[in-house]
Amino acid sequence: MEKLPRNPFDPSFGTPPKIMLPNYQSDFESPQAVAEAIKYGDPNRVIFITGLRGSGKTALLTKVEQQVEQLNNTYILEIDNNQHMVQAFGRELKNIFKIHSLLDHISTISIMGFSLSFNKTNEDYTTQDIENFMEMLTKLDKQVVIFIDEFNHKENTREFIQLLQNLKRHRLNFYLVADGLPQMIYEIEHEQTLTFLKRARHIQTTMLDINQIENEYQKHLNFSPMLSHQMAQLTGGYSFAFQLLGYKLWNATNISHQKPNQKTFEVIKQLYIEDLFTQSYDIIFDNLSTNDRKYLRGIANGMSTTEIASLMNYDKSAKQQQNYVNQYRRRMIQQDLITPAGNGRVRFKLPLFKKYLNDTQNPDSVRYDPLL
């Protein structure tokens, strides 16, 4: 059997694809720039990467981690926010001293309570234990960079962030780099005791450059320039869409041996749309409240504010209707699903999302509505 090169496109979640186009706003937000900022002691100790599901948040986080790995005197800790984060942090800090033989270098450094903290054999690490570990690392001119994928708002998250705030107050050498959906990060930042997080550095993933997508399709696929242009336009710059369409077209022509022509493209186009809807848009839509959904369906159908309010069963004065519907408008902008288009209008950011809304049924058995 002839050995084929591997498909260069990867629509799976979590791992950086072989072809990763810039999904950040400027070079100041590139993985290299973030690592440089950490290297030179950027005062922003918390960095959030936010964006739509499928916009490449985890891949960008991993790229940042790969760059940070190259820094001297820097230790990387990966913490799962589904576990007890404070205890996991304490355990990992203790392991740094063991794995990197740092105990040989601290005999001349005296920190009250460090030996007691280090000699603990149980999992009951206290805030003071962690401060002792971090103070010792700081005195050794070492720093810790914590990476968290899919950051979310939980009780242990709040406890962990409050601990980091205390470490920052004592000028200890740590950074937190975390990615999460916009709504998750918003909820964390608006927690009454965590509002200082609003001052964190935010990197928002962006849509990919359509011209760069077209160039990659021309480089790796054998379709004509005209069809490559159509393919790129069909992705709308959405990272997952770019990988998904490229993956299917590459398989069709290299594994199924279909000709790279209009007919093949039309067949794959339908399969691509089906998977785009089920693998991404269904998940996004399932996590919206009833009225979030109704708002999106309303604008997809060109409804007026009054019509959308009626759809939401909100029967008040025109001014109250305007204010009420505008809350959902702001929510959907904040969640990166729509963007202002001038004169009070909005447009969908995701490719074919309007078609998705019109093609799907109107299920009302969804999650709670936070604005009711």
Side-chain angles (χ1 to χ4, degrees), residues 95 138 168 186 194 230 248 282 346 348:
N95 285 339
T138 300
K168 184 178 188 300
Y186 178 88
L194 304 180
Q230 290 181 35
K248 288 184 173 297
D282 278 351
V346 297
F348 293 107

Side-chain angles (χ1 to χ4, degrees), residues 102-317:
L102 295 183
L103 295 177
D104 299 337
H105 304 283
I106 64 177
S107 57
T108 60
I109 300 175
S110 175
I111 294 178
M112 185 177 298
F114 173 78
S115 295
L116 183 63
S117 297
F118 186 81
N119 290 325
K120 277 193 173 183
T121 57
N122 58 24
E123 295 293 294
D124 188 22
Y125 294 107
T126 66
T127 298
Q128 187 60 57
D129 293 330
I130 290 172
E131 286 188 22
N132 290 341
F133 291 147
M134 285 301 308
E135 187 177 353
M136 183 64 77
L137 288 171
T138 300
K139 286 184 178 294
L140 290 170
D141 292 323
K142 311 293 184 182
Q143 65 179 351
V144 171
V145 184
I146 307 153
F147 285 87
I148 300 178
D149 185 25
E150 294 294 339
F151 205 42
N152 54 44
H153 187 207
K154 296 181 177 179
E155 178 65 33
N156 63 348
T157 305
R158 182 164 55 252
E159 180 188 14
F160 182 68
I161 291 297
Q162 288 170 333
L163 168 63
L164 295 186
Q165 173 68 354
N166 200 46
L167 298 182
K168 184 178 188 300
R169 187 167 61 87
H170 289 95
R171 300 183 182 276
L172 301 178
N173 292 345
F174 80 92
Y175 285 90
L176 168 66
V177 186
D179 71 60
L181 295 170
Q183 184 62 28
M184 292 295 182
I185 301 300
Y186 178 88
E187 289 176 0
I188 293 168
E189 292 175 337
H190 285 75
E191 165 67 40
Q192 187 174 5
T193 59
L194 304 180
T195 53
F196 61 86
L197 287 177
K198 293 181 182 179
R199 303 173 191 172
R201 180 178 178 182
H202 290 72
I203 298 173
Q204 185 169 1
T205 54
T206 61
M207 291 299 185
L208 308 180
D209 183 272
I210 295 293
N211 291 327
Q212 291 184 355
I213 290 177
E214 186 174 337
N215 290 338
E216 292 299 327
Y217 282 165
Q218 289 185 6
K219 185 188 303 183
H220 297 283
L221 304 170
N222 294 318
F223 290 83
S224 68
M226 181 186 72
L227 285 177
S228 296
H229 178 74
Q230 290 181 35
M231 297 168 194
Q233 293 295 322
L234 190 61
T235 70
Y238 182 37
S239 182
F240 174 66
F242 161 58
Q243 298 290 341
L244 179 66
L245 183 57
Y247 174 82
K248 288 184 173 297
L249 290 168
W250 192 94
N251 281 349
T253 54
N254 289 276
I255 297 178
S256 299
H257 302 293
Q258 301 298 309
K259 294 181 179 180
N261 55 26
Q262 184 76 44
K263 181 179 178 181
T264 298
F265 172 56
E266 293 299 330
V267 172
I268 296 301
K269 177 181 175 180
Q270 296 306 312
L271 298 174
Y272 154 79
I273 291 174
E274 291 174 10
D275 281 357
L276 180 66
F277 288 1
T278 59
Q279 295 180 21
S280 181
Y281 294 178
D282 278 351
I283 300 172
I284 292 172
F285 206 54
D286 284 347
N287 283 281
L288 298 175
S289 74
T290 302
N291 278 356
D292 286 333
R293 292 184 176 196
K294 288 179 178 179
Y295 172 78
L296 293 175
R297 290 187 185 281
I299 61 174
N301 288 283
M303 290 183 181
S304 67
T305 298
T306 299
E307 290 171 327
I308 295 175
S310 177
L311 187 64
M312 295 177 175
N313 299 316
Y314 190 78
D315 185 20
K316 302 289 184 179
S317 69

